[in-house]
Every structure is written in C-alpha cells, then in structure tokens.
Amino acid sequence: MPRGRRERLRRRRALSESRAGLTRPERACSRNRELELYENQKCFLLFLSRFLAHSIVEHLKSQQKVRVAEAQRTERSVTPDMSSTQEGEHPLERAGAAPESLPGMETEAQASKSSLTNLSTEIEFSENLHEIKSWEDKSTANWHQMLRVSESQAFKARVLKAQAWEIQASEAHRRASQTRHTSVLEMDATQALKQKPLPEKVQATEKEKCEILFTRPCWSNKIEYILTQVGYSMKISSLWHFFILWLHNGGCSFLIIYILMLFLVGVPLLFLEMAAGQRIRQSSIGVWKVISAWIGGVGYTSFMVCFITGLYLNVINVWTLFYLSQSFQFPVPWEKCPLLENSSDFASDRIEDGGSPVFSLNLFLLVSWCLIGAFMINGLKSTGKIMLVLVPAPYFIILCFLFRSLLLEGAAFGFQHLMLVKISAMYNMNVWCQAGNQVLFALGLGLGPVVSLSSHMYPSTNCLSDALIVALVNLFTMLLVTSFSFCVLGFWATVITHRCSEKNAETLVKLVAMGKLPLEAQPPPNLTANPTSVFNSWLNSLPQPIKHMVFGYVTECNLEKQFLKVKEGPSFAFVAFIETMSFIPGSVFWSILFFLLLLILGLISMIGIMQGILIPFQNTFSSFRKSTKLLTDPMFPPVVVFGFMFLCDLFFTRPSGIYYIRLLSEYWIVLPIIITIILENMAVGWAYGARSLVSLPPRFLEDLAIVWGSPASAIIRWLWCFLCPIVLVALFVITLIHLSLKSITYVAWDSSSSKEVLRQYPSWALLVMIALFLIVILPIPTYFVYCLAHRISFTSTSQGKPIISFKSLPLIQPKPSKEVHKEETL
C-alpha cells in the first residue's frame, strides 16, 4: 500500500475513533488489530501470487510444447522458398515475428498479464510483465513485415516466439521465488533438513542434471549404515591387540579401565566425528574446512594416514588368503615346523635384506583388491547390501569357536587367566595410556572413514545413539574374541605340556635301557589319560637323589609357564593360535573356518577404509568430472585408486615387507592419529563459535538441537570442551615419552637356526619413519600459516548462523532417476 494512502487512512481512522469517544488504549488496540489483519491479507496475497505465477508458467510451458510439435510437423510439409535475411540479427527480427503471429497465444498472454497485474503491488513479478508488454508493442510495430515472410519462416517464427515466452515466464517465476524473507529461507532450510526424501523418483531434466549429479547419495536404511560403521571398527589388529593388552595388563582390571575410557573419551569423540560428517555432509577433507579454516589441514592428514593404513592392512588379507588356500591339505603344513631352513621364503632374516615381491603373494594381492572392488562396485548401494551379509557372519563363526573351545581340555585353565584381576594395574599410568590408545584404534577415530560414512546419513538422525550402538557392539565383539582366545590358548598350553611330559618319559625309558639311570627312574607305562598330572605325580614321589639325577636329563613341563609364553609378543601368540587349530580334531575344518573368519574381518574393515579414501577423492576432484569425459565414468576413480594401491602394496609383499608393517603399525601410526583427534576436538568444541566458559554449550550442539528437534545431552558439552582435550593431550605426551625411551625393535626370522630372534631397527628406518610422520602432518601447519597470512578468522565463517551445506539440500528433495543415480556411485 502506498505511503500517502496509508497516512490518509490513519488520519481518517483517528478522526472516527475520536468521534466515537474511544480512549487512547482502545484506539491503540484497534489499530493493532487492523495492522494484524492487514499483514494476514498481505501474506495471503503473497501466497496467492506465487501459486498463480507457478500455474501460469506451467500452463505456458505445456502450450508451448504443443505448438512447437505442431510447428515442426507443419514445417516438414512446406518447402521453404525464401532465404533468411541479413546475418547477425536477432532470430525474432530476422523472421519478422510478432506476438500476434502465434494464433491463440495473444489471448493467453493477455489473460496471464491481467491476472498478474492485479498482484503487482505485492510482488516483483510486475517487472517481468512490463518487459513482456513492451516487447509486444515493439513487435506489433513491425507487423507489416510479416506479410512478406513465407509460410515456412512463419512457422519458424512461431517456434522462436514460443521459446521466448518460455524464457520470459521462467525468469518471472524465478524472480518471484526470490522475494521471500531471510527468516523464511532459514525456516524452510531447517524444515528441509528434518524431512525424509520422497519415495518417488523424479526424472531430472538436462538443465538440472549438472546439479543432481553431484549430490550425495544416502544410505538405503539405517541398518546398513550401522553395520558398515561396525564392520569398519572390527579390524583384526584391534581385536588381537585387545586380547594381548588384557593378558599383559591385569586381566579384568584392564577391562574396567578400558570401559571408563570408552564412555568418557571414545563415545564422545565417535559422536563428534559422526555429527560433523552428518551435519556438514562433506567428506573428511571438506568437513574441517567448513568448521574452521585454520584446522583445514586435518582432513588431508587423516586422508594420508588412512591411505597408508589401508596399504598394510590389506597385506594381512593377502597372508590370510594364502594360509586359507594351504588349509585344504591334510595334515595342515604348519603342524610340523621346518627345522633346517625357512621353506616359505616369505620373510627375510633382517629388514636390510630387501628382495623382490613374492610372486604367489602378488596373486593373492590381486585377488584381495578384486574382492574389495567387487563389493564396492555400485557405491553405497552394493556396500550396504554386502555388509548385511558379511558383518553378521563373523559372529556366527566366533560363537562356533567359543562353544567348541569350552569343550576342549584346558579351557578352564584359560578362563582362570581371563578372570584374573590385578589391583596394581589400576594405579599404573602406562596401562591407562594403552587403554586410551586402544579405544582410539578400536573405534577407528582420526582416520576419516567415520566422517565420510556419516556424511551420507540423513541430518535428522540422532547420531548419539548410533555412536553408542557402534561402541557397544565393538566392545561386545572384543569380549567374545578374547573369551574364546583364552580358552583356545589354555588348550594349546595343555597340549604342549602333555607332549613335553610324554617326550620326557620317552627320554627316561631310553636312558634306563642304556644303563645311565637306575631302574627306579623308569617312568610309569600308562600316560595316555593325563600325561602331565601322572608324570609330575610320579616325579615328585621319587627319592631325592634319583630326582636330582632325572632333572639333569629332562625339561621342565609347567602348564602355567607354558601359557605365559604367549606374552612374548603378538606374533608368538598368533602362531600359537594357528598351531592350536592343528591340535583340534577335524583340524582342516577348523583351520578353514578360522582363516575364513580373519578374511571376512579384514575385508569388511578394508571396505570402510576404502570408503574413507574414495569419498574424499571423488568429492575433492568432482569438478573435473564436469569437463573431462573420461572422469564422468563413475568407475574411473575406484579403478585408479585400487590400481595405485595395488602397485604400492607390492613393496610390502617383499620378504622384508613384514618388518615395515610392524614399524608402521606399532610405532608410527599412533602419533598422527592422536594429533588429528586433538585438532578435531578443538575445532568442534572451541573453534566452531569460539564459546567462552560461561556461554556453553558449543554452537555445534545448538545446531544439532535445531535439526533433531531436541537438545543434546548436557554431559557431551563438558566432555568435548574439557575432559576429552585433557585426556588426549595426556595420551600424546605419555606416548611420545614412551616411544622416545623405548628401544625400537622387531622380531626377525633366523633361517640358519629356524628360530625367531630380536633385532633392532637400523637408524635409516627410524629416519624414514620420522620423515613420513612430518609429511602427513605438513598440511596442518601449512593451512595454519595460510590463514594467518590472509587474516582468516579462527572461528567458523558463519558466525551466529547454523551451517547448512549447499550440497545437502538437494538430497532432501526427491531422489533422482536411475540414470542419474548411476553417476553418484562412490
């Protein structure tokens, strides 16, 4: 309403109110009601204008398509007899076309114009109508030129005129849609983030394909997403390392420490990475740039660490495939170890020996990469379906091993060590440090796959419950593996001790027969029932002089000492576990089942790691896919990455490759992961909004509360801002001191004596490890210096506003068609 008219109405209303004898408060109340009524009418007219504009545009588009088709059919039957006019003119001027040259369109245009003009005082749509009217008047002045145009050119003019009308109507609709208030945009964006995608699939037009093509596909359902996160956390090295830590650090005392670290540090940090990926909806590289540009290099560091981790973890799958192929023999080859030489040629005597890649391992390396590629061939769609099968399978195998191990001799002895409690471990700072590092490794924090996988989940999902589920399932898996491992190793120690007693008995019989020992030293003939118990009882009953003579020829067979030999190292315990498979009746079946378990665990964890590599790779280089035809193929990035990683893995399939894997997994990887997690925690807890101590919670939690519709737990804010940073810094300092004081050694195979010997890594290997550490950390200070030089704010760029990723909004819209969905394959 014009300002002058509004002022006149106000004066007239005031005069009428004063005559009616109304008081000033009553007049104010009356004016407020009238203003409210006016605003309601204005909103209604705005809504009506949008609706009419959309209806008119759709009607004109449909009419234009019909006329274009009719013009094309008529044009085919008419032979053009005149050439076109001068070059360089506008198509409508060359044809001499006017709006009136299109039968029936003038009436529709005038009707649309009259309908929209009535609403011109409320929206900006009138601007386009004036442009259309002026264009019509200009074209009407040239109406006499149309008489000299041939019939063929008239139909061409109709086509061009219809296209011009469509452009004008689309432009008018676009301008009308941009008149919304900023608050309405924020409300619509928040509501869009909360809603689920429509079930119908809409066919995308050519104009919209370029936008839909680069949207992020979402998981089919939440079960597939949770199973993928669980599968990624079930790494063989983490499961086995948890068992070793339990054995070395006080048994159940270590479990108590681990659970405390899991819920006070592990779950909050896992929730942090899930929430960051799910909220920002970008890969592990892009998320931290959005949260804080100063910490943008963390994404590149985690990407490189994930890449190196994927290289050596897949080599473990290669060894598993090799041993699985050898398990189909009876008896299994490792039932009797080679005594004279190393018959496998898979390990050199020292790291300096080097050598070329082992050909047989290279074949299994190719098979391993082909299996991973086949499981990920269709991106999230195939990955989710594969995880529905592969993740539950290990639990059935583990339960089979657990029930079978409970029936083995010596299982009770293993359970005694499982339930052992050492109170002194609760006061050992080194045990707390190892438990904290194990939590970070077991959940897969700091590597990037958690963030990348979460970026394809709907933003309205409460990821705090997802983090709890993943952490609890991971803990349950490690407890299952540890339980049956203790039972199996108890059986192994019992069998080895029995064989030791039988061997001692055979030695004494020979010595008595040779006359070197008296007849009193003759052992009992029947040792089949319980050789260790019978032999030790007989030995203790001997007279003291004869007992001293017997001890000079036999070895000590002690069940407790034999079991504690597994503490010598993870490799010794793993070899003992494999040897135990040959002791169980039906050794071929149990060996196949055991290596099948290791293979499934290795493959599902590698699928998660490869998602953490491929998703950032495709997101970072998505712009090249618009212009380069070769990169448009969705299979191109995975093929390139798999091929490059296959070539890099050839370094680890050499005879000395295992020593490099131990150097990376036991000494190198811990520091980059802790640094990455510290900076991630700092970015979300402090940089994203830079909250002070009195203005908690962090703004990130406030944004999550808007999307979820309910506030997050108040405990999370204190864990993010205070406890987690302190614990992480303490872990970093203690680990750094421990590595600096510890001797960097490895267990090597001595082919001359067919025994394992302890060797120290050469100085050049330590320099390589330090150089690799500096390379992966380099992006962090580089981004820091760049932001400092360009005076970029330390906090998030969207101060006071919730971050809404541009790429996330199209996902809330209807899903694209099948043709477009194929281009979204990861």
Side-chain angles (χ1 to χ4, degrees):
M1 180 182 295
R3 184 175 180 180
R5 183 181 177 185
R6 187 181 302 174
E7 184 68 17
R8 289 193 298 273
L9 289 176
R10 187 184 65 80
R11 292 177 181 176
R12 188 180 304 172
R13 189 185 304 111
L15 181 60
S16 62
E17 290 173 355
S18 61
R19 292 177 179 177
L22 297 177
T23 61
R24 180 172 297 180
E26 293 175 345
R27 290 198 299 270
C29 182
S30 176
R31 284 195 296 269
N32 291 337
R33 287 197 299 269
E34 291 180 0
L35 289 175
E36 182 179 359
L37 179 61
Y38 171 75
E39 292 296 333
N40 293 337
Q41 293 175 352
K42 184 177 179 180
C43 293
F44 174 74
L45 290 176
L46 181 61
F47 168 76
L48 184 61
S49 65
R50 293 177 185 171
F51 175 75
L52 291 177
H54 178 73
S55 302
I56 292 171
V57 170
E58 294 297 327
H59 178 68
L60 291 178
K61 285 184 178 181
S62 61
Q63 292 295 327
Q64 181 266 344
K65 292 180 181 179
V66 173
R67 293 189 185 91
V68 170
E70 180 183 357
Q72 291 177 352
R73 288 195 302 269
T74 310
E75 184 181 4
R76 297 191 189 100
S77 61
V78 180
T79 304
D81 54 349
M82 294 182 63
S83 59
S84 60
T85 57
Q86 299 177 357
E87 297 180 0
E89 297 178 352
H90 193 275
L92 292 176
E93 296 176 356
R94 292 171 57 186
E100 291 81 6
S101 64
L102 298 175
M105 181 169 286
E106 180 181 2
T107 305
E108 297 172 2
Q110 292 175 354
S112 355
K113 182 176 65 178
S114 60
S115 301
L116 295 174
T117 306
N118 296 331
L119 302 172
S120 59
T121 60
E122 300 296 332
I123 59 174
E124 298 177 3
F125 192 70
S126 59
E127 179 183 353
N128 298 87
L129 296 178
H130 290 302
E131 293 176 0
I132 296 173
K133 182 177 179 180
S134 62
W135 181 78
E136 286 183 343
D137 296 337
K138 182 179 178 181
S139 301
T140 306
N142 299 326
W143 170 250
H144 64 279
Q145 298 179 3
M146 187 57 197
L147 299 176
R148 297 190 298 270
V149 179
S150 64
E151 187 176 358
S152 174
Q153 292 174 338
F155 286 115
K156 292 182 179 179
R158 291 185 181 184
V159 175
L160 295 174
K161 180 61 173 63
Q163 293 176 354
W165 268 100
E166 181 183 9
I167 293 174
Q168 293 288 342
S170 301
E171 180 67 14
H173 177 64
R174 184 185 66 81
R175 293 189 181 183
S177 63
Q178 291 179 351
T179 59
R180 293 180 296 180
H181 195 267
T182 305
S183 61
V184 178
L185 278 173
E186 294 177 355
M187 184 181 301
D188 292 343
T190 304
Q191 293 177 355
L193 288 172
K194 292 182 179 180
Q195 65 182 0
K196 299 290 183 179
L198 299 178
E200 296 83 10
K201 292 186 178 180
V202 181
Q203 179 71 28
T205 62
E206 293 294 333
K207 185 178 180 180
E208 296 170 346
K209 272 188 179 181
C210 60
E211 297 180 0
I212 299 179
L213 191 64
F214 299 102
T215 57
R216 305 185 72 80
C218 290
W219 295 95
S220 300
N221 53 70
K222 190 174 182 179
I223 297 178
E224 295 180 1
Y225 165 69
I226 294 295
L227 289 179
T228 306
Q229 292 280 16
V230 170
Y232 162 67
S233 66
M234 293 169 59
K235 294 180 283 292
I236 301 175
S237 57
S238 297
L239 297 176
W240 190 251
H241 195 231
F242 181 82
F243 161 70
I244 297 298
L245 290 177
W246 187 305
L247 187 64
H248 282 252
N249 297 310
C252 291
S253 300
F254 173 77
L255 177 62
I256 297 173
I257 298 174
Y258 182 86
I259 292 177
L260 290 175
M261 296 294 291
L262 177 66
F263 286 99
L264 294 179
V265 178
V267 173
L269 293 177
L270 181 62
F271 167 59
L272 183 147
E273 291 197 356
M274 285 184 173
Q278 185 174 307
R279 184 71 182 91
I280 311 299
R281 296 191 65 80
Q282 293 190 25
S283 64
S284 57
I285 293 180
V287 163
W288 310 113
K289 293 180 182 178
V290 175
I291 293 179
S292 177
W294 288 61
I295 314 180
V298 171
Y300 295 97
T301 296
S302 64
F303 177 82
M304 289 188 287
V305 175
C306 183
F307 182 85
I308 296 173
T309 304
L311 288 179
Y312 69 76
L313 283 184
N314 195 44
V315 178
I316 299 178
N317 295 337
V318 174
W319 295 336
T320 303
L321 282 171
F322 173 79
Y323 280 103
L324 179 62
S325 64
Q326 299 295 318
S327 299
F328 291 92
Q329 305 178 30
F330 183 79
V332 288
W334 48 86
E335 187 172 350
K336 295 182 179 180
C337 297
L339 300 178
L340 299 179
E341 61 180 1
N342 178 19
S343 60
S344 64
D345 295 330
F346 287 171
S348 59
D349 288 354
R350 59 185 70 248
I351 191 175
E352 296 89 347
D353 292 346
S356 59
V358 181
F359 178 74
S360 57
L361 290 183
N362 294 339
L363 293 179
F364 289 110
L365 178 64
L366 180 62
V367 172
S368 178
W369 281 116
C370 289
L371 286 175
I372 297 173
F375 293 155
M376 303 175 62
I377 191 171
N378 289 328
L380 296 182
K381 183 177 180 181
S382 62
T383 300
K385 299 301 181 292
I386 289 295
M387 288 300 182
L388 288 175
V389 178
L390 292 184
V391 174
Y395 291 97
F396 292 104
I397 299 178
I398 293 174
L399 290 176
C400 291
F401 272 107
L402 180 60
F403 294 146
R404 183 65 182 92
S405 62
L406 292 175
L407 302 177
L408 296 174
E409 183 182 3
F413 181 79
F415 252 110
Q416 292 178 3
H417 283 270
L418 175 68
M419 304 306 296
L420 184 66
V421 178
K422 290 184 179 180
I423 303 300
S424 59
M426 302 292 294
Y427 306 100
N428 192 337
M429 186 62 65
N430 187 38
V431 176
W432 284 86
C433 180
Q434 292 185 6
N437 291 336
Q438 175 63 22
V439 168
L440 303 182
F441 283 109
L443 298 179
L445 300 175
L447 294 177
V450 174
V451 178
S452 298
L453 293 173
S454 302
S455 66
H456 295 276
M457 197 61 187
Y458 302 119
S460 59
T461 305
N462 191 333
C463 50
L464 180 57
S465 60
D466 298 343
L468 284 172
I469 292 174
V470 173
L472 291 176
V473 172
N474 180 264
L475 176 62
F476 174 73
T477 305
M478 290 190 294
L479 291 178
L480 279 181
V481 172
T482 302
S483 298
F484 92 82
S485 298
F486 270 95
C487 294
V488 169
L489 290 180
F491 170 70
W492 168 80
T494 302
V495 172
I496 295 299
T497 306
H498 287 346
R499 292 187 176 184
C500 176
S501 300
E502 292 174 352
K503 186 177 180 180
N504 287 339
E506 294 176 358
T507 302
L508 293 177
V509 169
K510 293 180 180 179
L511 292 175
V512 170
M514 294 172 58
K516 293 184 177 181
L517 291 175
L519 293 178
E520 289 81 359
Q522 180 75 26
N526 188 8
L527 296 177
T528 57
N530 191 347
T532 303
S533 178
V534 174
F535 183 81
N536 289 336
S537 299
W538 169 80
L539 188 61
N540 293 329
S541 63
L542 291 176
Q544 195 67 24
I546 299 178
K547 183 185 296 185
H548 285 293
M549 295 175 59
V550 170
F551 280 154
Y553 295 98
V554 299
T555 58
E556 184 180 7
C557 300
N558 187 284
L559 181 61
E560 181 75 19
K561 293 182 178 179
Q562 185 65 36
F563 183 86
L564 293 180
K565 284 185 178 180
V566 297
K567 289 188 175 183
E568 295 181 5
S571 60
F572 184 89
F574 185 75
V575 171
F577 202 94
I578 296 177
E579 185 182 8
T580 308
M581 297 297 105
S582 62
F583 299 158
I584 303 176
S587 58
V588 174
F589 170 77
W590 292 106
S591 296
I592 294 174
L593 201 61
F594 174 70
F595 288 111
L596 185 62
L597 170 65
L598 297 184
L599 179 62
I600 295 176
L601 291 175
L603 290 177
I604 60 180
S605 61
M606 275 301 300
I607 289 175
I609 290 176
M610 291 308 300
Q611 291 287 6
I613 297 174
L614 290 177
I615 294 176
F617 180 84
Q618 289 185 323
N619 291 168
T620 304
F621 299 101
S622 59
S623 58
F624 292 98
R625 297 165 65 182
K626 300 179 182 179
S627 57
T628 307
K629 185 176 181 180
L630 181 62
L631 287 176
T632 306
D633 184 4
M635 287 302 299
F636 180 75
V639 170
V640 171
V641 174
F642 287 169
F644 180 71
M645 295 186 73
F646 170 80
L647 295 178
C648 294
D649 267 338
L650 295 177
F651 176 82
F652 296 106
T653 57
R654 302 183 308 155
S656 60
I658 184 175
Y659 306 132
Y660 291 97
I661 292 178
R662 289 178 176 174
L663 180 64
L664 292 174
S665 61
E666 296 178 8
Y667 301 104
W668 175 80
I669 195 174
V670 58
L671 291 181
I673 286 182
I674 296 179
I675 292 176
T676 301
I677 299 174
I678 290 175
L679 294 177
E680 290 177 358
N681 190 9
M682 184 186 302
V684 175
W686 297 102
Y688 188 86
R691 295 290 190 178
S692 62
L693 298 180
V694 297
S695 60
L696 292 172
R699 187 161 57 87
F700 191 80
L701 286 179
E702 294 179 353
D703 293 349
L704 292 178
I706 295 175
V707 178
W708 293 349
S710 59
S713 176
I715 301 177
I716 297 296
R717 66 186 187 186
W718 295 104
L719 295 178
W720 279 2
C721 297
F722 299 104
L723 182 62
C724 289
I726 295 174
V727 173
L728 290 174
V729 172
L731 286 178
F732 176 77
V733 173
I734 295 175
T735 303
L736 185 61
I737 296 175
H738 179 71
L739 289 177
S740 60
L741 298 179
K742 183 179 180 181
S743 179
I744 310 299
T745 59
Y746 65 100
V747 179
W749 176 261
D750 188 2
S751 59
S752 60
S753 59
S754 294
K755 293 181 179 179
E756 290 183 336
V757 294
L758 189 65
R759 302 186 188 277
Q760 191 169 2
Y761 278 104
S763 58
W764 60 264
L766 301 180
L767 293 177
V768 169
M769 183 180 69
I770 296 174
L772 188 59
F773 170 76
L774 295 178
I775 290 174
V776 299
I777 295 296
L778 184 61
I780 297 177
T782 301
Y783 259 82
F784 185 87
V785 173
Y786 175 83
C787 295
L788 184 63
H790 290 76
R791 298 182 179 180
I792 299 176
S793 175
F794 176 75
T795 60
S796 176
T797 56
S798 58
Q799 280 285 358
K801 299 178 182 179
I803 288 182
I804 299 176
S805 177
F806 174 78
K807 294 184 179 181
S808 67
L809 294 180
L811 281 177
I812 311 303
Q813 316 232 341
K815 294 182 181 178
S817 61
K818 294 182 179 179
E819 291 77 5
V820 180
H821 181 70
K822 291 180 180 179
E823 300 296 334
E824 298 177 345
T825 305
L826 297 178

